[in-house]
Amino acid sequence: MALEIPAVELAPGVSLPTIGFGTWQITGRSAYESTRAALDAGYRHIDTATMYGNEEEIGRALRDSGLDRSEVFITTKLPPSHAGRERQTLEASLKALGVDFVDLWLIHWPPARGKSLPTWIALLEQRDAGRIRSAGVSNYDTQLVDELVRETGETPVVNQVAWSPAEHDPKFLADMRDRRVVVEGYSSLKNTPLDDPRLLAIASSHGVTVPQVVLRWQLHHDIVIIPKSTRPERMRENLSVLGFSLSDDEIETVNSV
Ligand code: NAP
C-alpha cells in the first residue's frame, strides 16, 4: 500500500516523511512484528535509538518487508554516554540495522557539559563520510542549538522533543522555525489525557478519535509525528490523520488542553 505522506526536505535529496513510527519500549519479537506491521500499514519512516535495543529486529523487518532501502527513512540516536565513541556506536547501529547508512542520526539528549560540541562535530564527520545522510539533536533547548551553530556553522536539521497539548510552546516552535530546524514531537499520545471532554467533542465532530485529533494538531503546527503502537489497527489509525483538518478555533482549544 503506497500512502501519500507529505515529506519535509532536510537537505538536498533527504526527505523526511512527516509521519513516522516510534519504537521505544518495543523489543525482541514484538519489535520485529510491529515494524513489519507498520511497514505493511504504509509507514515509511522508522524512529529507533541505540538505547531502545531493537535495531536488529527493525533491520530484519525492513529486509523481510521486501521494500527497497531507499523507500524507508531510518532515524537512530547516539546515547550521550557514548560521547567520544561516536564512530563505534554508529558502526554498531549500522551493523544491527543491516544498512550502509542511516537517514538521520540524532544526539539522544545533551551530553554532559563540554561534550556537546565535540559530539556534534563527530556527527558531522560521519555525515561527511556518508554513513549518515543528515544530523540532528533531541531534547535540546534553543540555547544549546545556538551553541552548536555558533561554533560549527552547521545547524541540526531536526530537534526531537516531547510535544503534547500541555507542553505546547509557540515560542520554541518559532525559534526552531527561524533557525530552519524541523521539530519532531514525541510522546504526544502518552502525555495527553485522551478522555478530555474538549478533545472528545472535537474528535466526535470530525468522526475521528482523540489520538487522531492530537496527531493532526501537531502536523498543523509543522511538527513531525512519530506515534508508537504495537497494535496494527492503531498504527493505521495514527497514520490516517490527513483526511480532515482542524479549524482555527479547534487548534486554539487543543493548544490550551
Ligand atoms: P506515544 O507514541 O505518544 O504513545 C504510545 C502509547 O500510546 C502506547 O502506550 C500505545 O499503546 C498508545 N497508543 C498508540 N496509539 C494509540 C491510539 N491510536 N489510541 C490509544 N492509544 C494509543 O509515546 P512514545 O512511544 O513515548 O513516543 C513516540 C516515539 O517517540 C517513541 O516510540 C520513540 O520512537 C520516540 N521517543 C523519543 C524520545 C527522545 O528522548 N528522543 C523519548 C520518548 C520517545 P499500544 O502500543 O498498546 O498501542
Side-chain angles (χ1 to χ4, degrees):
M1 176 162 53
L3 279 176
E4 273 305 318
I5 300 172
V8 54
E9 193 173 69
L10 299 181
V14 186
S15 283
L16 170 71
T18 53
I19 306 178
F21 180 64
T23 66
W24 184 35
Q25 294 174 321
I26 322 182
T27 54
R29 191 186 170 92
S30 174
Y32 174 80
E33 287 173 356
S34 297
T35 307
R36 282 298 301 272
L39 293 170
D40 279 353
Y43 288 84
R44 293 294 180 267
H45 161 190
I46 308 288
D47 184 83
T48 182
T50 294
M51 296 279 291
Y52 299 172
N54 58 16
E55 291 173 312
E56 202 175 320
E57 289 79 7
I58 289 172
R60 199 153 47 81
L62 184 60
R63 280 190 298 285
D64 291 355
S65 73
L67 290 164
D68 192 77
R69 168 70 187 89
S70 64
E71 293 178 78
V72 184
F73 189 103
I74 303 177
T75 301
T76 192
K77 312 185 192 86
L78 172 86
S81 60
H82 288 214
R85 289 179 285 139
E86 293 87 358
R87 187 177 51 78
Q88 297 90 321
T89 305
L90 180 62
E91 279 169 2
S93 285
L94 297 178
K95 185 160 182 267
L97 286 160
V99 296
D100 297 329
F101 65 89
V102 289
D103 298 282
L104 175 62
W105 199 28
L106 304 178
I107 304 174
H108 206 149
W109 62 89
R113 185 176 282 274
K115 290 191 177 165
S116 182
L117 181 61
T119 303
W120 178 236
I121 291 170
L123 260 71
L124 297 174
E125 284 168 1
Q126 294 306 313
R127 184 199 61 190
D128 294 345
R131 293 190 195 96
I132 64 174
R133 297 184 76 207
S134 58
V137 295
S138 177
N139 301 302
Y140 270 55
D141 63 22
T142 304
Q143 195 189 331
L144 282 171
V145 169
D146 284 347
E147 261 173 47
L148 301 183
V149 181
R150 195 171 51 242
E151 297 296 331
T152 64
E154 295 265 12
T155 306
V157 292
V158 160
N159 192 3
Q160 186 179 111
V161 295
W163 210 273
S164 63
E167 293 159 310
H168 185 55
D169 180 352
K171 168 81 168 68
F172 179 81
L173 287 186
D175 285 348
M176 291 302 111
R177 195 172 300 126
D178 288 349
R179 290 156 178 76
R180 305 179 73 81
V181 178
V182 173
V183 175
E184 294 185 346
Y186 68 74
S187 300
S188 58
L189 304 179
K190 205 181 266 177
N191 293 341
T192 300
L194 299 179
D195 57 354
D196 183 282
R198 293 163 293 180
L199 296 177
L200 284 166
I202 295 172
S204 148
S205 75
H206 290 279
V208 299
T209 64
V210 169
Q212 288 174 314
V213 169
V214 172
L215 296 170
R216 191 72 188 81
W217 166 82
Q218 283 186 283
L219 291 176
H220 170 89
H221 285 299
D222 291 329
I223 298 169
V224 171
I225 57 174
I226 46 171
K228 167 263 174 190
S229 180
T230 50
R231 306 190 202 186
E233 70 280 9
R234 286 182 172 175
M235 295 175 193
R236 288 191 291 274
E237 177 184 330
N238 298 342
L239 201 52
S240 307
V241 293
L242 298 168
F244 71 103
S245 50
L246 300 170
S247 69
D248 290 348
D249 283 352
E250 289 168 334
I251 293 291
E252 272 307 311
T253 302
V254 183
N255 285 349
S256 53
V257 161

